[in-house]
Amino acid sequence: MCGIVGYVGKKRAAPLLLGALKKLEYRGYDSAGIAVLCGGLAVRKCAGEVSNLRSTASMEGTCGIGHTRWATHGGPTERNAHPHVWKRFAVVHNGIIENYQSLRAECEARGEEFYSETDSEVVAHLMEFYYAGDLLGALKETCARLKGSYALAVLCSERPGTIALARYKSPLVVGVGGGVWCASDIPAIAAKDRALYPLADGEFALLGDGAQFYGREGRIEKQPVGRDMSESIPLKRGYRHFMRKEIDEIPAVLAKCRPCALVSASFPGVRDGLAASSHITVVACGTAYHAGLAARCAFETLARVPCTVTVASEYRYADPVIGEGETVIAVSQSGETADTIAAAELARGCGARTVAVVNVTDSTLAGLCDDALPVSAGREIAVAATKSFNAQLMVLYTLAATLAEAKGRRGYGDLLKEMPELAAQTVSVGEGVRAWVAYFVSASSVYFIGRGADYVAALEGSLKLKEITYLPSEGYPAGELKHGTLALVEEGTPIVAVLTSERLAEKTMNAVHEVYARGARVFLITSLAEYAASKELTGAVVIPQCGEVFSPMLSVIPLQLLAYYVSVARGIDPDKPRNLAKSVTVE
Ligand code: F6R
């Protein structure tokens, strides 16, 4: 992952780079660094967040590059922080250089010294090796040696006022206006009157007085992309954390989705393509994968279309059978998740119709699929996905409802229209989980159980809890516990059961009885009020009813809140959990 930025213009580069880097911290915050050309190369680095970068006040130059890191090769230390410098070159890199070990060995055989454990440092060495006065030529030769993915920004002490860029499978955009900029994403550098030029794979650029773009063969012209400048970086607006604010935004986000109209009117190609599909495959990672699992229940139950859901990192190497008439839906908040992009590319290459369900509509994934459906959740800052999950469900459920309607099963679209109001009620009653926090805060393990769609909510609740509280936690089908995991339940183990299916209620309650009998403390999220009074329960939250299939859209909300409040009680910043980043652009 990582975020990179560059600026060349008339103003001091250092404060501008720091400002842009803050906006890129969702891509990683293990370490940060900047390099500025002022006579020679001046470099500052730190472990941890961008705000830890000190003593940049004396950096006077007007041309520089910066980096915020999510560690892949080597720990989150100052030594491993970018920019990496070798002789005349400073380099920032987002991506993975897969053949860095052999390249490094080659450099070391020439007597060159390395100080970091990163894959990126080798790029500075190759630049120095190939440079003979032609910056772009050296960068092209360097890139020809690299295997993997990269967005690179390079400074050379002999080329004041110039930044060289290269992109392959990691995003990079150039901005011209108020100086010349580059960054890993548009919001980091978007401004009124600034023209934006995303680089494509295999493209290069030289930034100086203006921006010059190059393909492998020579100079190319690029057209700027349009951008809605009203989409600014959100503020906390009185909230302590973005995550809590984003949960509160769920009802408004669902209301904004207007998905039924969206699919039928704006995307008839998606509707007709799906209607003609014999099979739907969903590929995604993490929370988006859970959205896919929830969608499967809807596609199969409502529309009776067979649906398979696969983790994108497995799909891409599984040699999947991609049948004729298949639609592959790639779900991603960021649209930059490397595995999901690769899975969609594979499916498209094999002839499947591909549909991206994305929050970031100018993302790589949106661009490569046949169609892109926006989830319209607005920018999500907290690393743990919340409102984007509910919005993904809204779009996917709408697709299922549209398909069902085409087969004469009506009414599901109307049910979805009630969701914003029901979600508002759920956020309100969900606050009840605050009373549960004391039972979770020092737990050695936590389990979430459910059946059918409730199992999907359990999986997502468990992921939320583990990623922002660091408590070991698992989601299980309620009927599966007794086949092994029950052995882990002991006196006081917190177990959260999700129960919204009338059809399966007694079956899920069997599991509740079984774990209670073994000393577990059981908590219930249910839309069936009659079960909330069961004597086995330490706590219960009763949420509105919305039908079994759509229930994860609501039942996940108290689980998101539970994870949030336990995280805060454990003294963790839920917006920036350790080791994670918002956008996972590497394998
Ligand atoms: C969990 C979370 C991650 C993401 C996953 C996919 O809270 O946010 O599991 O869901 O990294 O990211 P996107 O949706 O951007 O492809």
Side-chain angles (χ1 to χ4, degrees), residues 401 405 409-416 550:
E405 199 157 304
R409 299 191 188 94
R410 296 182 192 283
Y412 298 114
D414 292 338
L415 195 51
L416 288 175
F550 296 153

Side-chain angles (χ1 to χ4, degrees), residues 285-288 331-335 337 383-385 392 463-464 467 584:
C285 303
T287 289
V331 185
S332 172
Q333 186 284 129
S334 62
T337 301
V383 162
Q392 284 163 353
L463 177 61
K464 282 300 84 104
E467 72 180 318
V584 188

Side-chain angles (χ1 to χ4, degrees), residues 415-452:
L415 195 51
L416 288 175
K417 284 188 195 145
E418 293 172 25
M419 284 298 189
E421 173 53 32
L422 299 181
Q425 292 169 22
T426 309
V427 173
S428 173
V429 294
E431 280 288 308
V433 299
R434 294 182 83 154
W436 306 359
V437 169
Y439 299 104
F440 289 75
V441 81
S442 318
S444 52
S445 58
V446 180
Y447 300 95
F448 292 76
I449 59 172
R451 287 175 184 261

Side-chain angles (χ1 to χ4, degrees), residues 122-326:
V122 73
V123 177
H125 285 249
L126 292 176
M127 284 301 298
E128 180 66 40
F129 180 71
Y130 287 116
Y131 184 69
D134 174 4
L135 186 57
L136 182 66
L139 186 54
K140 284 187 173 180
E141 286 195 74
T142 296
C143 290
R145 302 292 315 280
L146 306 179
K147 290 198 178 122
S149 58
Y150 50 81
L152 293 167
V154 181
L155 293 183
C156 172
S157 59
E158 289 186 0
R159 291 290 301 271
T162 306
I163 302 171
L165 307 178
R167 176 206 153 128
Y168 185 70
K169 291 195 180 293
S170 291
L172 189 56
V173 61
V174 170
V176 181
V180 185
W181 296 75
C182 68
S184 297
D185 80 7
I186 288 176
I189 56 168
K192 205 164 172 286
D193 300 330
R194 183 168 296 153
L196 298 165
Y197 304 86
L199 295 193
D201 281 348
E203 288 182 355
F204 299 84
L206 287 178
L207 312 186
D209 282 341
Q212 294 164 1
F213 301 101
Y214 300 86
R216 287 231 161 253
E217 305 307 327
R219 183 110 183 241
I220 54 171
E221 293 301 321
K222 285 180 82 74
Q223 294 304 316
V225 292
R227 177 75 182 175
D228 177 7
M229 290 309 155
S230 62
E231 201 206 309
S232 52
I233 302 275
L235 303 170
K236 281 192 190 145
R237 299 205 184 283
Y239 283 86
R240 192 168 159 205
H241 299 105
F242 279 109
M243 182 178 175
R244 184 66 192 81
K245 176 172 178 261
E246 287 161 1
I247 295 171
D248 268 357
E249 287 168 1
I250 290 170
V253 161
L254 296 182
K256 198 170 140 207
C257 248
R258 299 201 161 280
C260 295
L262 183 147
V263 173
S264 303
S266 312
F267 295 91
V270 176
R271 183 196 59 202
D272 298 344
L274 272 176
S277 293
S278 53
H279 189 266
I280 297 171
T281 298
V282 181
V283 291
C285 303
T287 289
Y289 167 71
H290 294 157
L293 292 177
R296 179 169 63 82
C297 302
F299 283 127
E300 297 200 334
T301 308
L302 308 185
R304 305 307 292 163
V305 181
C307 175
T308 310
V309 188
T310 309
V311 168
S313 56
E314 288 296 311
Y315 184 86
R316 62 184 291 192
Y317 296 117
D319 193 13
V321 178
I322 302 175
E324 262 192 36
E326 175 159 349

